[in-house]
Amino acid sequence: MKLSEFKSCLHQNEPVRFQLPDGSFVPAHFHITEAGLVTKHFIDCGGTVRKESAVTMQLWSADDLDHRLSGGKLAGILRKAEPLLTGDDLDIEIEYQSDTIGKYGVEFEDHHFRLTQKETDCLAKETCGITPQKVTANMETATLCVPGGGCC
């Protein structure tokens, strides 16, 4: 989801709610502890230099069980972050604590935000000699990196 779409959904969401991929909800008393721009500048396994940027927000729950974040309040937090969010209408990533800090995509559905799973991928499949192979893993199609294939 792009930042502009996220902002437009805030007015349809009182109080703001986030649903995890397993169907459970982030506790209603969560806080937004960070909002900003994250840029990753890296080289992929095929030697191509890449740069990716995203708007990121970190959700955190404390022991103040009566806290609720309204759409207007979250819009205000994002307004304060606007000087950092220059440039394109970027994708949003949400960080939330699970076994470690989880990074999620976000969609809007049924008057709440749904956190979506993100996956790793090889960005240089042709260079690495990887050809798509159909694999049944959680009923999805995946791509495999084979030993000796030149990838990583």
Side-chain angles (χ1 to χ4, degrees):
M1 171 180 280
K2 300 287 187 189
L3 178 59
S4 61
E5 184 182 358
F6 184 87
K7 287 178 180 180
S8 71
C9 293
L10 288 176
H11 304 293
Q12 306 171 43
N13 194 11
E14 295 289 340
V16 177
R17 297 178 60 210
F18 288 94
Q19 184 180 27
L20 295 163
D22 68 4
S24 65
F25 282 85
V26 170
H29 59 278
F30 75 91
H31 293 254
I32 299 288
T33 58
E34 297 176 6
L37 176 69
V38 172
T39 300
K40 179 179 173 183
H41 195 186
F42 61 101
I43 189 165
D44 69 25
C45 59
T48 302
V49 175
R50 298 176 186 262
K51 194 177 218 181
E52 297 175 352
S53 294
V55 172
T56 186
M57 288 186 289
Q58 185 179 83
L59 310 182
W60 177 73
S61 297
D63 59 1
D64 56 342
L65 302 179
D66 294 328
H67 179 268
R68 298 294 183 271
L69 186 63
S70 69
K73 179 72 172 177
L74 181 47
I77 292 168
L78 291 172
R79 273 192 299 279
K80 288 179 183 177
E82 280 177 359
L84 305 173
L85 309 178
T86 59
D88 298 330
D89 187 19
L90 298 172
D91 286 325
I92 292 208
E93 293 180 343
I94 302 290
E95 293 179 353
Y96 183 67
Q97 186 72 41
S98 55
D99 295 337
T100 187
I101 298 173
K103 189 186 327 184
Y104 301 92
V106 64
E107 296 174 349
F108 191 73
E109 179 179 284
D110 297 328
H111 302 289
H112 63 269
F113 293 102
R114 191 170 61 82
L115 301 183
T116 59
Q117 294 177 334
K118 296 179 72 86
E119 296 179 355
T120 60
D121 192 10
C122 176
L123 300 176
K125 290 178 182 74
E126 300 80 24
T127 304
C128 293
I130 299 172
T131 56
Q133 297 178 2
K134 221 171 193 183
V135 175
T136 304
N138 297 329
M139 306 300 285
E140 295 180 16
T141 302
T143 303
L144 296 177
C145 186
V146 293
C151 180
C152 308

